[in-house]
RNA sequence: GCUCGAGUGGUGGAAUUGGUAGACACGUUGGACUUAAAAUCCAAUGGCCAUUAGGCCGUGCGGGUUCAAGUCCCGCCUCGAGUACCA
């Protein structure tokens, strides 16, 4: 009987779909286990072999947990809003929904062929109105909430209004905009409704405000910080400029500390935690208020080194700082204006590119030192960022290298305030060895003591206090795009109003064109039916806008991360039309036990989703404030490109070994035309690239050998390998095993299709354990001691490997097991039956088939995992390595119950020992029973 | 620059608390079967020396600890990822 993998795999894929084998129940006496993959954006290119790596790993884990008796939730869906479909729509006029639908279909076909145990009845798509209804709903919840610092959680906006009505805002401890003016209860009551709404907006967790945003002219949209890489857009690499715009923002900064603290209780990779920690960028220090001489202005600064306050010799403001225009003296006005203008013109990228050039201008104004009252010149310089801290620094050149360089460059004095430190060459920034001098009441103090003292003194004179600062900024939530979630928002007198939750979803309107309007409005500005009728509670034609009953709707859409920030909870109850998820569902499933995905989402999706989860937790909607207990980043699979070498002058194409010292240009050849021995199918290549039809191919030993190089897997490098053709040629089980066999899950590794014959022939060997040409071989003979030892060794190792996510070593273990059982000519059902279960998480199709052939009528998927029995592994002897001076010379089999002296005697009596010693007497004999013998001397 | 991760045969990679380095595969070479090919099976395969027996060298580099180091410590080098004037 042949191993007909194509037939077997199709059969079981059909069976699983028909029987809904992997449908998870929300009511179960079994313990729950939630295995989640990062859902993909369905791109037009389809999947290549790198994409399913993480899915295969999580699928193995999910299947293993089912064998272990868990009720496993293992869903899949699509992050289906996104730029590529929209760009395609702009070019072709094709509605993005259609493109997306087509792409999803293709993804699904590809995924199905790999044999994943997804519960497809729970599929979600972020672009489906039934799904984004709940994204809009969460947005409304955020809008109706504020952050109460006193209880350190989000609360309903009504509780804030209640406080305002009673005592005004001076007692309120909230995370809010910086520019909120104080008011009393009386004043609050006197404010117009309009004014009250404006104030509340400054407190809401999602708010509309004019902020400086990253504007990408080429994409026609704003971008979040994490969507910008090296100063250009992550998608497309277009330049990004700073621009002031009115945009929706998310007050993620309210959660900065909790996002940081939460990292301690989740089992996520350290590098990922590190990058979130850096992104949040907590620093401890103090704010200090410097008064500007001869004016009413004060300049607050943030510093991490308040202990060096007596070393301040100048101040530097960001050129964008609002005080610049107010304090600049008439003499300096022209210079300052020119500098401000020049920096505004420079893009972020330019500013980042030359960090070395020191620029700045004196404003002519002086501040007053809070303690010495000495005048301090105020400069502006573009090394100070408007967006960090207060946009101003107290410059201590002796303690900070940038301040030092600036001072040197502009000949500003550099007072030394460190005991016994030479600062003639560079600044001194080592906190640990700092002893303060020339600093009045701080003299002789260490860094820590000085910080405490100076904060105490600052508070005494009312010019500063201890403060913790974060680098994290509020997240801009508006995109000038079509293919995203519409906001459930309309405008009355320019103020945003939420549409009531019962009227959701607000679905995307039809537009003629997907580009911004001629007046520069976002694509939704092209919609003709995009106004809100408050009475009818529905979207109506723009013609009806009267600003009395019918109002304009929001034209921006939500960013890519909106839909992915709660999808993991929606999977728990995805068809629920009345709630985002039922209480029963969330209380049963609780949180994700295992989350697998790429590390590229470290500071985007994985930070925003933690933020939303904490918000949902505050609102009592979810029981856990961290949604994923364990997270694993799968490594990237790189491609192994193939090259042919063309000599430019002659046009000859040389095999790799024939290049010699000729000058050749390497040209990518499609990897599908190269075999396992790096031989190129020359005819296929000529057919593929007709320009080489008549070229002379210089061969070696009658073959054309290509050069190989590891590169990113990409279409343009012709090294993309699709899983489809592999499934046809070798089968999904071979593919699954091979992807795991390549190496540790978290490591990046090159793909080389050639190696797949290894796992494929393993499966054939496995099959031959059960069947030969005459059919079934298995029978009820008693298993031998060796059989049982091999089996239980395998059970133990595979179990440990899966628990440790070391899937590559499991595959080796299977190979060893099958090699051993074949050599033992094992046909015992008592061995072969459990073996099928152990293999099944990795190679589920063949396992199902074997299971059925063994006489079972139910799917193997919930068969109990065999129990490891250590008694089969007990050995009574050990082959001891005998080493001399640490070098292993020979091995000697000795009983394991032999004691130290017995071992020593046996080893010393051995003739090879005497040979090695050549008459010498050993100085020392190390005997570690059960391990090793080492003879020294 | 800073933070994190990684360097082991021709290739992907194994190696539990320090205890037989190179498991398991790919590739290569030789052989069996076949009219032939594919498939399958058997054998060899880190380098150098040696007819054999065996020896020497070997886990990025240089030191150290130890009876014993891929593994621990110190100092470097290279590559990859993140971050980038963060006060």
């Amino acid at each position: 009987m042949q191993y007909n993998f194509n037939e077997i795999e199709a059969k079981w894929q059909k069976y699983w779909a028909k029987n809904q084998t992997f449908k998870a129940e929300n009511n179960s006496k079994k313990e729950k286990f939630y295995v989640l993959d990062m859902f993909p954006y369905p791109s037009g290119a389809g999947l290549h072999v790198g994409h399913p790596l993480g899915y295969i790993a999580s699928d193995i884990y999910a299947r293993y947990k089912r064998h272990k008796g868990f009720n496993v939730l293992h869903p899949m869906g699509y992050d289906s809003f996104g730029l590529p479909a929209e760009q395609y729509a702009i070019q072709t006029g094709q509605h993005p929904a259609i493109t997306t639908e087509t792409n999803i279909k293709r993804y699904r076909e590809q995924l199905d062929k790999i044999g994943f145990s997804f519960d497809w009845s729970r599929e979600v798509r972020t672009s489906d109105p039934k799904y984004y209804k709940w994204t809009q709903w969460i947005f409304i919840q955020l809008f109706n909430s504020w952050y109460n610092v006193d209880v350190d959680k989000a609360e309903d906006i009504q509780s804030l209004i209640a406080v305002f009505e009673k005592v005004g805002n001076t007692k309120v401890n909230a995370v809010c905009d910086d520019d909120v003016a104080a008011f009393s209860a009386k004043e609050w009551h006197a404010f117009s409704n309009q004014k009250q709404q404006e104030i509340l907006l400054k407190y809401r967790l999602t708010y509309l405000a004019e902020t400086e945003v990253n504007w990408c002219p080429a994409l026609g949209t704003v971008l979040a910080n994490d969507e910008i890489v090296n100063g250009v857009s992550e998608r497309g690499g277009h330049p990004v400029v700073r621009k002031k715009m009115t945009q929706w923002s998310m007050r993620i900064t309210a959660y900065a500390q909790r996002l940081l603290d939460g990292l301690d209780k989740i089992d996520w990779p350290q590098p990922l935690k590190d990058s979130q920690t850096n992104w949040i960028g907590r620093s401890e220090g103090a704010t200090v208020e410097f008064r500007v001489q001869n004016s009413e202005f004060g300049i607050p600064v943030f510093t991490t080194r308040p202990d060096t306050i007596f070393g301040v010799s100048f101040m530097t403001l960001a050129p964008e700082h609002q005080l610049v225009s107010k304090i600049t003296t008439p003499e300096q006005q022209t210079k300052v204006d020119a500098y401000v203008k020049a920096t505004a013109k420079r893009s972020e990228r330019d500013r980042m590119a030359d960090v070395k050039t020191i620029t700045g201008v004196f404003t002519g104004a002086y501040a007053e030192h809070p303690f010495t009252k000495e005048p301090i010149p105020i400069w502006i310089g573009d090394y100070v960022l408007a967006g960090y801290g207060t946009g101003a620094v107290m410059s201590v050149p002796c303690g900070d290298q940038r301040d030092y360089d600036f001072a040197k460059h502009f000949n500003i004095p550099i007072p030394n305030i460190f005991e016994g430190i030479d600062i003639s060459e560079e600044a001194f920034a080592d906190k640990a060895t700092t002893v303060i001098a020339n600093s009045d009441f701080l003299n002789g103090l260490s860094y820590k003591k000085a910080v405490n003292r100076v904060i105490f003194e600052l508070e005494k004179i009312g010019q500063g206090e201890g403060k913790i600062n974060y680098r994290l900024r509020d997240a801009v939530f508006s995109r000038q795009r079509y293919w995203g979630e519409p906001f459930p928002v309309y405008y009355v007198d320019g103020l945003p109003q939420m549409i009531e939750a019962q009227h959701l979803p607000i679905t995307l309107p039809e537009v003629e064109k997907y580009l911004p309007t001629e007046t520069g409005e976002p694509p939704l500005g092209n919609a003709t039916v995009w106004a809100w009728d408050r009475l009818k509670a529905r979207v109506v034609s723009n013609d009806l806008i009267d600003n009395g009953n019918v109002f304009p709707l929001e034209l921006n859409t939500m960013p890519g991360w909106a839909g992915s920030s709660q999808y993991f909870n929606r999977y728990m109850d995805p068809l629920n039309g009345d709630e985002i998820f039922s209480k029963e569902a969330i209380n049963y499933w609780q949180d994700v036990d295992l989350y697998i995905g790429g590390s590229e989402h470290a500071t985007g999706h994985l930070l925003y989703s933690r933020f939303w989860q904490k918000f949902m937790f505050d609102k009592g909607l979810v029981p856990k404030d961290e949604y994923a207990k364990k997270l694993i980043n799968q490594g990237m699979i790189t491609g192994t490109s193939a090259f042919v070498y063309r000599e430019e002058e002659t046009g000859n194409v040389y095999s790799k070994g024939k290049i010699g010292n000729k000058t050749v240009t390497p040209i990518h050849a499609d990897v599908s035309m190269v075999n396992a021995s790096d031989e190129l199918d020359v005819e296929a290549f000529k057919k593929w690239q007709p320009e080489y039809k008549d070229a002379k191919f210089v061969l070696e030993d009658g073959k054309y050998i290509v050069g190989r190089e590891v590169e990113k897997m990409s279409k343009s490098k012709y090294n993309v390998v699709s899983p489809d053709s592999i499934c046809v040629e070798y089968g999904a089980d071979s593919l699954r095993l091979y992807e795991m066999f390549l190496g540790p899950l978290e490591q990046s590794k090159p793909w080389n299709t050639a190696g797949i014959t290894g796992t494929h022939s393993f499966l054939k060997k496995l099959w031959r354990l059960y069947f030969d040409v005459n059919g079934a071989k298995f029978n009820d003979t008693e298993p031998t001691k060796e059989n049982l030892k091999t089996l239980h060794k395998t059970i133990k190792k595979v179990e440990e490997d899966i628990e440790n996510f070391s899937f590559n070593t499991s595959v080796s273990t299977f190979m060893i097991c099958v090699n051993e059982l074949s050599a033992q000519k094992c046909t015992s059902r008592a061995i072969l039956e459990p073996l099928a279960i152990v293999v099944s998480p990795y190679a589920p199709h063949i396992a199902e088939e074997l299971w059925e052939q063994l006489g079972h009528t139910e799917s193997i998927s919930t068969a109990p995992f065999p129990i490891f029995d250590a008694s089969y592994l007990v050995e009574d002897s050990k082959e001891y390595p005998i080493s001399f001076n640490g070098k292993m010379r020979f091995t000697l089999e000795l009983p394991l119950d032999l004691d130290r002296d017995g071992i020593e005697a046996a080893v010393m009596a051995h003739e090879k020992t005497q040979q090695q010693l050549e008459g010498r007497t050993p100085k020392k004999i190390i005997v570690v029973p059960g391990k090793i013998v080492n003879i020294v001397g």
Side-chain angles (χ1 to χ4, degrees), chain A residues 848-865:
Chain A
E848 288 276 20
E849 183 67 21
L850 294 173
W851 191 245
E852 188 185 59
Q853 296 285 343
L854 284 160
H856 297 273
T857 49
E858 296 270 302
S859 162
I860 195 172
S861 60
T862 50
F865 204 79

Side-chain angles (χ1 to χ4, degrees), chain A residues 559-571:
Chain A
W561 54 272
S564 59
S565 292
Q566 274 290 305
Y567 78 113
F568 37 88
N569 287 331
R570 181 67 181 164
Y571 276 138

Side-chain angles (χ1 to χ4, degrees), chain A residues 146-153 173-175 254:
Chain A
W146 66 291
Y147 201 88
N148 185 344
V149 178
D150 287 335
V151 293
D152 206 15
K153 61 185 262 194
N173 195 3
V175 179

Side-chain angles (χ1 to χ4, degrees), chain A residues 394-558:
Chain A
M394 59 173 228
S395 302
V396 182
C398 65
D400 181 286
Q401 194 57 44
R402 284 169 327 226
D403 295 346
Y404 187 94
D405 295 341
F406 195 88
K408 272 258 148 117
H409 191 260
F410 291 110
N411 263 322
I412 302 168
I414 305 176
N416 189 355
I417 50 146
F418 299 115
E419 188 82 56
I421 299 291
D422 174 28
I423 51 147
S424 57
E425 289 300 320
E426 54 177 5
F428 172 76
D430 184 15
K431 290 183 204 165
T433 58
T434 292
V435 179
I436 305 290
N438 301 325
S439 297
D440 196 357
F441 52 82
L442 297 178
N443 285 342
L445 296 182
S446 67
Y447 159 73
K448 231 184 163 159
K449 284 189 174 150
V451 167
N452 288 336
R453 177 69 195 273
V454 78
I455 289 174
F456 174 80
E457 296 291 340
L458 281 167
E459 285 174 0
K460 212 161 80 182
I461 60 168
Q463 275 190 259
E465 57 186 351
K467 187 172 181 196
I468 292 157
N469 199 45
Y470 300 93
R471 196 184 78 118
L472 184 71
R473 303 288 87 194
D474 279 348
V476 178
F477 199 67
S478 300
R479 294 292 181 273
Q480 292 67 46
R481 284 280 154 183
Y482 176 75
W483 193 229
E485 296 87 349
F487 285 86
V489 172
Y490 61 94
Y491 288 88
V492 178
D493 296 330
L495 275 175
Q497 309 292 321
M498 293 297 123
I499 290 169
E500 281 167 61
Q502 74 218 50
H503 306 309
L504 300 181
I506 302 302
T507 54
L508 265 180
E510 293 302 318
V511 290
E512 289 266 318
K513 282 195 312 196
Y514 302 96
L515 283 167
T517 65
E518 273 159 26
T519 51
E521 285 177 323
L524 291 193
N526 292 317
T528 51
V529 183
W530 195 236
W532 184 248
D533 184 322
R534 203 143 63 167
L535 278 181
K536 292 192 185 126
R538 61 185 175 87
V539 176
V540 296
S541 169
N542 295 2
D543 302 338
L544 302 172
I545 293 176
D546 57 10
N547 289 310
N549 180 40
V550 179
F551 302 93
L553 280 157
E554 168 75 52
L555 300 182
N556 290 293
T557 53
M558 297 187 195

Side-chain angles (χ1 to χ4, degrees), chain A residues 735-885:
Chain A
L735 174 71
R736 292 170 62 109
L737 283 168
Y738 186 55
E739 293 235 1
M740 293 298 104
F741 188 60
L742 280 179
L745 179 62
E746 302 188 66
Q747 220 166 282
S748 101
K749 53 235 161 197
W751 179 268
N752 191 345
T753 306
I756 201 169
T757 53
T759 55
H760 185 64
S761 58
F762 156 74
L763 287 173
K764 286 196 274 192
K765 274 189 226 171
L766 175 72
W767 184 261
R768 281 202 305 275
L769 270 181
Y770 297 73
F771 305 103
D772 59 19
V773 280
N774 305 315
K777 280 163 72 180
F778 46 83
N779 52 41
D780 292 327
T781 48
E782 279 293 306
T784 66
K785 229 176 124 186
E786 278 72 40
N787 294 164
L788 286 161
K789 189 174 155 189
T790 297
L791 175 69
H792 282 269
K793 197 169 70 176
T794 306
I795 296 170
K796 178 169 191 274
K797 177 80 172 123
V798 171
E799 201 160 349
E800 286 170 0
D801 283 348
I802 296 179
E803 304 280 2
N804 295 320
F805 307 97
S806 174
F807 302 106
N808 54 324
T809 47
S810 279
V811 182
S812 311
T813 303
F814 291 139
M815 290 172 171
I816 293 167
C817 174
V818 166
N819 288 348
E820 284 182 10
L821 291 177
S822 305
Q824 293 161 14
K825 302 209 182 329
C826 173
T827 57
S828 170
R829 177 189 284 274
I831 299 295
L832 296 178
E833 222 171 71
L835 177 63
I837 302 171
V838 178
V839 171
S840 112
Y842 289 79
H845 308 88
I846 193 173
E848 288 276 20
E849 183 67 21
L850 294 173
W851 191 245
E852 188 185 59
Q853 296 285 343
L854 284 160
H856 297 273
T857 49
E858 296 270 302
S859 162
I860 195 172
S861 60
T862 50
F865 204 79
I867 309 286
F868 166 65
D869 185 342
S871 65
Y872 295 117
L873 264 53
V874 175
E875 304 258 8
D876 41 19
S877 72
K878 153 98 189 164
E879 196 163 301
Y880 279 94
I882 312 299
S883 30
F884 293 80
N885 297 319

